């Protein structure tokens, strides 16, 4: 199993829009014997800075962002553990602006690896198995979700070890919610 290090800034669905995505990931996890994880689109990953600085960057980032929608455009797969199976995400101007602002706020240099997606299964599967799962899912995935906040997640270790540090509602939303530490 692959491990990660540092912190990530996620866009996560909430409420009713999260339910079918959680169900999809849980079903695939059981069927494929793969890790279970929270549905999310990684806006910025692998941020290795002191937590206090990242928290401040996220506060400023959320204050600058209006809510927008993430739209899924299809099912994809590749050989990366964390992109084994995923929903492609439309690279809308709002999403690209959010990513660019996150890169600037967090001081990340040369981040050219942004490939917006929402992983639905982690692991190392045979190509034929990934194609079969993707073909079977061609239609039943949700259309997308509304983004109203960013989550700072400590993504150190295996997926079951990842922890929400804090949620930052966008400027038009309520105050931040801290996770239990």
């Amino acid at each position: 199993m692959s491990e990660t290090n540092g912190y990530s800034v996620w866009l996560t669905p909430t409420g009713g829009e999260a339910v079918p995505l959680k169900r999809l990931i849980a079903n695939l996890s059981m069927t494929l014997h793969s890790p279970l994880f929270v549905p999310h689109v990684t806006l910025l990953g692998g941020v290795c800075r002191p937590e206090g600085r990242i928290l401040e960057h996220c506060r400023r980032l959320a204050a600058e962002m209006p809510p927008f929608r993430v739209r899924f455009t299809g099912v994809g797969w590749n050989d990366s553990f964390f992109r084994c199976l995923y929903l492609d995400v439309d690279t809308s101007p709002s999403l690209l602006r959010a990513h660019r602002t996150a890169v600037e706020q967090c001081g990340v240099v040369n981040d050219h690896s942004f490939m917006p997606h929402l992983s639905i299964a982690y692991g190392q599967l045979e190509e034929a198995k990934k194609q079969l799962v993707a073909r079977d899912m061609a239609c039943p995935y949700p259309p997308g979700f509304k983004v109203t906040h960013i989550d700072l997640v400590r993504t150190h270790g295996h997926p079951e070890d990842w922890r929400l540090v804090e949620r930052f509602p966008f400027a038009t939303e309520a105050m931040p919610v801290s996770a239990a530490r």
Side-chain angles (χ1 to χ4, degrees):
M1 180 183 300
S2 289
E3 292 187 36
T4 58
N5 194 11
Y7 295 85
S8 295
V9 179
W10 287 358
L11 307 175
T12 55
T14 56
E17 290 185 309
V19 173
L21 293 166
K22 288 179 180 179
R23 189 177 309 126
L24 174 60
I25 292 168
N27 289 341
L28 286 171
S29 175
M30 285 192 326
T31 302
L32 302 173
H33 308 288
S34 61
L36 189 60
F37 53 92
V38 174
H40 64 278
V41 173
T42 301
L43 189 61
L44 189 63
V47 181
C48 295
R49 302 229 187 312
E51 187 174 290
R53 287 185 60 202
I54 301 170
L55 286 164
E56 185 54 39
H57 295 315
C58 288
R59 278 187 195 92
R60 287 197 309 263
L61 175 61
E64 293 181 20
M65 294 177 57
F68 62 95
R69 288 204 64 80
V70 163
R71 288 179 183 41
F72 303 127
T73 60
V75 181
W77 64 90
N78 69 31
D79 292 330
S80 167
F81 183 89
F82 294 109
R83 293 181 185 159
C84 180
L85 287 163
Y86 56 86
L87 298 178
D88 282 309
V89 172
D90 178 44
T91 53
S92 69
S94 295
L95 179 61
L96 292 175
R97 185 172 31 257
H99 173 70
R100 189 173 49 253
T101 304
V103 167
E104 292 167 2
Q105 285 290 346
C106 292
V108 175
V109 181
N110 294 327
D111 181 64
H112 302 292
S113 62
F114 188 53
M115 183 193 120
H117 67 283
L118 187 139
S119 291
I120 54 175
Y122 291 161
Q124 299 294 328
L125 298 177
E126 295 174 7
E127 186 73 14
K129 181 73 170 176
K130 291 185 275 193
Q131 289 178 5
L132 181 65
V133 172
R135 187 193 70 216
D136 288 348
M137 294 187 44
C139 293
Y141 59 85
F145 63 93
K146 183 178 180 183
V147 179
T148 60
H149 63 275
I150 56 172
D151 286 342
L152 177 62
V153 180
R154 185 172 187 268
T155 49
H156 182 76
H158 301 291
E160 64 270 13
D161 300 324
W162 298 349
R163 297 291 176 256
L164 174 67
V165 175
E166 193 163 328
R167 174 166 287 168
F168 298 90
F170 291 166
T172 60
E173 304 295 321
M175 297 303 292
V177 175
S178 292
R181 295 188 195 247

